[in-house]
Each structure stands twice: as C-alpha cells, then as structure tokens.
Amino acid sequence: MSTFLDIVMSTILFGILALTVARVQTNINSSMCQNQFSVVVQTNAVELARQLEWDFAKIGHHVTGQKVLWADSTSIRFLADLTNTSTVDDVRYFLGDTSQLPATTNPIDVPMFRRVGLYAVKQNWGLTQFRITYYDAAYNKIPTPITTPEKLQRIHAINIGFRIESPEPVYSEHDTTWAAVTWEKMIIPRNLNNLNY
Amino acid sequence: MGRASLFLVLGLSLAFGIIGFSMRRTTTSLVEAQTGYSKYLFARNLARTAIHTTLRAFDRNLTPIPEAGAFNGGSYAVQYQENHDTLWLKSTGMYAESTYTMRVKLFRTTKPFPRVGAAIGIRATPVNFLIAGHAKVDGRNYDSTGTNLVGSGDVPGVATMTSSDSTTVAKEKDEIQGAPPIKVDTSTIDPLPFLDEYKSNADYVYNVSGVYNTVTWGTESNPVIVYCNAGDDTTFSIKFTGNVVGWGILVVRGNVQFNGNFDFKGLVVVDGFNTVVQFGAAGTPQIVGGVIIAGNAGASVALKGTGANAKVKYSADALDKARRIGKLRYYSIIEWYE
C-alpha cells in the first residue's frame, strides 16, 4: 500500500513538474521570439536610418541646376553624386503597397524601393509608416506634393520619419502585437541652397 | 526513481542553460546594433566638430592650424588645403572602431561691410560738421600704408546725404581734398545695422573714461574690431596717448582723443549725437581707409587736429584688408560630401 501511494504521489509530482517546465518553456520561447523580433526591427531601423542619412546628406552633391526633382510625402527623387566620383546619380525613393509583401503576416507592412539610375531595389524593412516632410530656410513646412522647380528650390531641410514592425506577431500566429521601432530625423543637405557655415 | 530524478534535474539544467545562453546572445546582438549606431553618430559628430574647430582656428589666424584633437572619448583629424578664398577640408572623426569622413569645399568670405564712397561718408542728416585746427580730409586713393597715391580710384573727400549738409561741410572746404572735395552721395550705407554685431564682437572695448597708454590693435594680417564708447555725455571722454596703432574697424561713440602718432588703417564708424574725434598736436595722426558717420539725425561731429599733419586718407586697399576680420568671416558651402 505504501509503495503504491509513493508511485501515485511521484506521478502527480512529476506531472506538476512537467507542466511547470512546459509552461516555463512556453514563456521562454515567447521571450526569445520577442527578443529576436526586437533585434530584427532595431537592426533594420539602424540600417535603414544609415542608408537614408547616407543618401539624403548627399542631395545635390556635384549637381548644377535643379537638385530635387520631385518631392512628396512618401517619395522623393533627387540628383546626387553618391560615390564622389563626379558621376551624378538619379536617386528615387518610393513605397510599394501591402500586396507586394504577401509572405509576411503583418497586414500593413510595405516594401520600400530605392532606385539609383535604372536599377531599383525592393527593400523589405518591415516599414509600416514612412513620412517625408520638407521645410524652407525659415523652417516653414512646404506642402506636398512639391512639383514646380521654384518650390523645389526652396527645400532647405528634410524631415524623415519611419516605423518598422516585425513581419510576424510577437506572441503567436493569431496575435496582433508586433515588435516595432520608430525613428525620425531632420536632415539638412549641405549642398542645397548655398548654405553658409 | 532516484536515478531518474537525477537525470531529470540534469536534463532540465542543461535545457535552461542553453536557453539562457541563447537569450543572452540575442540581447547582446540588440545592444551591439544600438551601440554600433551610437558609435557611428559619435564619429560623425566628431568629424563635424573638427570642421567647426578648424574654421574657428582660421578665424583666429592660429598658426599652425591644429590638425588633430580629442573630444568626449573620441578623436578627430583634419587635413586642409587653401587657395585664396577656397578652402578644402577632409575631416575624419573616430570613436571606438567607427570612423566617419567628411570632404568639404568652402568659399571663404566676410560679412557685408558698409561701403565708403568717400574719405568721410556722412549718413546722418542733418549733420553738424566741424573740422578745426589742421585736420585734413583727403579723398585721393592711397595704398594701405597711407604713404603712396595709387593714381586711380579717387573718391570725394566728404560725401553728404543732402545739398544743405553739403553746404554745411563746405565751410571747411579748405581742409578737404578729393574728386570732388565734397559731394552729395545718397548711396552711402548707414552702418547702424552693422554696429550691434561690431560691438558684440569687439576685440577691444573701452567703456570707461580715462587715459590709455600705447595701444596696438591687431595687425595687417589679423585686423580686429575696436569699440570706444565714451557715451553721449560730452564731458565723458577717452584719451589715447603715445602710439596708437590699429587695423580693422574702429567704432567711436562720444568724445575720443587720439594723441601722439595715432595710426589706424581700416574703417572708422562714428556713432553718436555729439562725437568729437580729436587728433593731438604732436606726431602725424592719421586714419587710412575711410570714415562713416552713422545715420543718427542731427549728429554733431567734430574732427579736430591741433597738429599740422592730422589726416583722414581714403584707401580702398586698407578698407579691403580691414574686411578680413576673423570674427566677421563666414564660409559658403561649395561642396559637401559625407
């Protein structure tokens, strides 16, 4: 009788322990997913920020005449010698739509296209928001779209903001929580408008 | 049973160890991504700081121009090349393992300078103008030393805003030379909008009445701004004795007396209602460049010279050199690559 009771109690304790371990394992997996998605979105944010800073800081470098060709709230086209080789590049940034990222669970992420010359690269950063705002020398906002050369010449500063979200939900397949990072910066391209220093 | 428990505990420990290690590695990646960007920003800021530091060194005419420095845990290096008004800079900021380079081409110039179209340009109107003693005004164009005539570029001796002011000045016509000696010239720029900047950037400020001994203000290659503020009270005066030598811009308000061999090359701006600029009896006191009397309506200006050789001589060359005051310099971006 005593041996039988020991076996029953052991089984119950083992069951409790196994359930506890399973629960801990689930939580740990969830945390790891969260961490992993955080790493992905933050790394993406850093890389995208560096790319935008790299490109936008060069707007107008080695360009005579019109430097920004058009400017809208989510797209821009400008000229710049990106590699400092006296070859002017025609650079475009614009967004795609959600149907162009069917593989991700996130319903609102869109690809970004960076076109230099004839070559466009579709970039999947997990962008869910992307906004470009333009300011003149007095830091008055210039309404978009900006299409006329006179208005384009007034552009002095460019504010860029974006939000990147994880492609999959953080906790479970049916969850709607996404790891996210927002970034915003005002860039003053030094080659615009004969700036003084 | 005991053996099974031991295996179970060992298995769990191993599993938690692997999970813990994996989580820590993920966290490390996260921190690396963030600090990597932070280091990049630090390096970029250092490169920009280096450009600022180098330009200020040029403004102060430092010799040699510092080509490296350290700031806030990082360091920077600058290479420069200059050709007249053009300046090339290559600045590299270094922070931890990040480096950031900027290549910059700048056009170096100075802020707008009030143009003087005469040895003495009077913007104030009406004006009470008096030349007493032997002070002379000469609108012929001298070199920057004030000793040799250039032979071209002569200007009027005194330019006034109205014909009635011209008539007032003409009472002193025996002391005035130029092409012509006196002229109505409404294009004389009022220096008042410039004065606040000159006063706030002055290298030498005299605000207290008294007698100041031998003074040197700047050099030909390093002109400066001097502000003598004797105030509008006519009893309040500043006197300079001995040799007073200066290059640049001299702003005078109130009664100022220059004795001995006063020798100022550049632009003198007379700002005030009752200003007396008096040259002493001895020596050869002179202003080489130009004088502008600011547009304070009804200003009373007296130029007195008790000696025989006091002169205001026009010199386009001296005015041009006076423009190169470091504090008034600015840089236009021709190219900026980063």
Side-chain angles (χ1 to χ4, degrees):
Chain A
M1 185 63 185
S2 170
T3 308
F4 178 71
L5 206 61
D6 282 350
I7 292 168
V8 170
M9 289 302 292
S10 300
T11 308
I12 292 169
L13 283 173
F14 183 80
I16 292 170
L17 187 62
L19 285 171
T20 307
V21 168
R23 181 70 186 161
V24 168
Q25 179 66 44
T26 307
N27 287 341
I28 288 172
N29 282 347
S30 174
S31 293
M32 283 182 69
C33 277
Q34 267 182 287
N35 277 354
Q36 197 57 48
F37 281 130
S38 278
V39 170
V40 170
V41 294
Q42 295 208 31
T43 306
N44 280 356
V46 165
E47 293 303 318
L48 177 58
R50 290 183 68 157
Q51 178 186 297
L52 291 170
E53 287 175 336
W54 169 266
D55 284 344
F56 279 63
K58 295 173 180 61
I59 293 178
H61 181 52
H62 283 162
V63 180
T64 51
Q66 196 171 338
K67 294 167 180 176
V68 181
L69 302 178
W70 91 62
D72 205 347
S73 58
T74 57
S75 65
I76 185 169
R77 183 179 175 193
F78 58 83
L79 300 176
D81 178 2
L82 294 180
T83 49
N84 203 25
T85 51
S86 299
T87 307
V88 174
D89 301 296
D90 181 351
V91 184
R92 273 183 69 183
Y93 272 94
F94 55 99
L95 296 183
D97 58 49
T98 53
S99 67
Q100 289 171 298
L101 285 181
T104 63
T105 310
N106 195 319
I108 57 168
D109 60 350
V110 291
M112 167 182 272
F113 290 88
R114 175 179 181 267
R115 199 188 81 174
V116 179
L118 298 173
Y119 304 102
V121 176
K122 178 183 169 185
Q123 300 177 329
N124 178 14
W125 299 105
L127 270 181
T128 55
Q129 289 173 25
F130 182 67
R131 186 192 63 253
I132 315 178
T133 319
Y134 306 89
Y135 295 87
D136 64 15
Y139 291 96
N140 296 314
K141 198 184 281 186
I142 308 172
T144 52
I146 310 168
T147 52
T148 62
E150 296 75 29
K151 285 187 179 173
L152 288 164
Q153 275 179 1
R154 285 176 51 210
I155 296 173
H156 165 79
I158 301 173
N159 187 277
I160 309 171
F162 64 73
R163 179 182 170 88
I164 285 177
E165 291 183 3
S166 54
E168 309 298 326
V170 170
Y171 297 112
S172 71
E173 196 180 334
H174 307 292
D175 186 39
T176 53
T177 308
W178 315 91
V181 171
T182 56
W183 181 91
E184 184 166 359
K185 186 175 181 183
M186 177 86 86
I187 295 175
I188 302 175
R190 306 284 171 180
N191 296 291
L192 286 182
N193 298 331
N194 301 318
L195 285 178
N196 295 325
Y197 208 66
Chain B
M1 187 65 193
R3 194 179 298 164
S5 301
L6 191 62
F7 282 132
L8 184 69
V9 169
L10 283 174
L12 283 172
S13 301
L14 186 64
F16 282 125
I18 291 168
I19 291 164
F21 176 74
S22 175
M23 285 183 76
R24 202 168 63 181
R25 200 172 55 183
T26 312
T27 310
T28 304
S29 300
L30 196 64
V31 172
E32 276 174 2
Q34 293 299 319
T35 52
Y37 186 58
S38 175
K39 288 174 196 168
Y40 155 81
L41 292 178
F42 266 85
R44 188 177 63 189
N45 290 342
L46 280 164
R48 194 159 292 165
T49 300
I51 288 177
H52 280 286
T53 306
T54 306
L55 295 183
R56 297 299 81 78
F58 275 109
D59 292 348
R60 294 190 196 101
N61 294 305
L62 292 186
T63 310
I65 299 293
E67 294 188 31
F71 181 72
N72 211 18
S75 61
Y76 57 79
V78 181
Q79 293 172 292
Y80 70 90
Q81 195 183 337
E82 52 185 328
N83 183 11
H84 302 294
D85 292 332
T86 308
L87 182 66
W88 289 266
L89 295 173
K90 181 187 174 192
S91 164
T92 305
M94 290 155 280
Y95 189 84
E97 67 274 15
S98 292
T99 59
Y100 194 94
T101 301
M102 294 178 177
R103 291 177 177 81
V104 178
K105 184 179 175 185
L106 302 167
F107 176 70
R108 186 167 42 180
T109 186
T110 50
K111 292 180 180 174
F113 193 76
R115 189 190 71 85
V116 198
I120 297 181
I122 301 176
R123 176 72 193 195
T125 182
V127 64
N128 295 313
F129 185 77
L130 171 71
I131 295 181
H134 299 285
K136 308 251 185 231
V137 178
D138 191 346
R140 293 175 297 168
N141 190 15
Y142 284 83
D143 65 6
S144 62
T145 63
T147 49
N148 303 309
L149 282 168
V150 174
S152 62
D154 295 350
V155 294
V158 178
T160 63
M161 291 296 286
T162 65
S163 54
S164 65
D165 288 335
S166 185
T167 308
T168 304
V169 173
K171 293 172 191 167
E172 319 290 346
K173 64 183 177 187
D174 293 343
E175 310 294 341
I176 303 171
Q177 265 185 294
I182 302 162
K183 186 185 176 186
V184 175
D185 181 4
T186 54
S187 68
T188 301
I189 293 173
D190 191 350
L192 283 177
F194 300 86
L195 287 182
D196 284 343
E197 186 165 23
Y198 294 166
K199 289 171 186 174
S200 60
N201 282 302
D203 298 276
Y204 300 90
V205 178
Y206 300 91
N207 272 324
V208 180
S209 63
V211 179
Y212 297 90
N213 290 316
T214 305
V215 185
T216 300
W217 298 317
T219 61
E220 181 175 356
S221 60
N222 183 26
V224 295
I225 303 173
V226 185
Y227 180 36
C228 295
N229 178 19
D232 292 328
D233 177 358
T234 50
T235 61
F236 181 89
S237 64
I238 293 172
K239 292 181 184 175
F240 292 93
T241 61
N243 294 326
V244 179
V245 179
W247 278 92
I249 297 174
L250 170 64
V251 181
V252 177
R253 186 178 185 99
N255 293 349
V256 181
Q257 195 178 97
F258 299 102
N259 295 305
N261 292 324
F262 172 73
D263 184 10
F264 191 84
K265 298 185 173 75
L267 176 68
V268 176
V269 181
V270 177
D271 169 39
F273 290 96
N274 296 298
T275 297
V276 177
V277 178
Q278 179 161 320
F279 297 122
T284 55
Q286 65 175 357
I287 293 169
V288 180
V291 177
I292 297 188
I293 294 162
N296 297 307
S300 173
V301 181
L303 194 64
K304 296 182 179 177
T306 52
N309 297 306
K311 272 195 175 175
V312 176
K313 297 174 180 171
Y314 175 78
S315 169
D317 193 20
L319 288 169
D320 184 55
K321 285 178 175 163
R323 287 170 61 97
R324 298 172 194 170
I325 292 170
K327 288 180 177 177
L328 300 180
R329 194 177 285 161
Y330 73 97
Y331 302 84
S332 291
I333 295 170
I334 301 172
E335 287 176 21
W336 188 291
Y337 185 82
E338 63 176 276

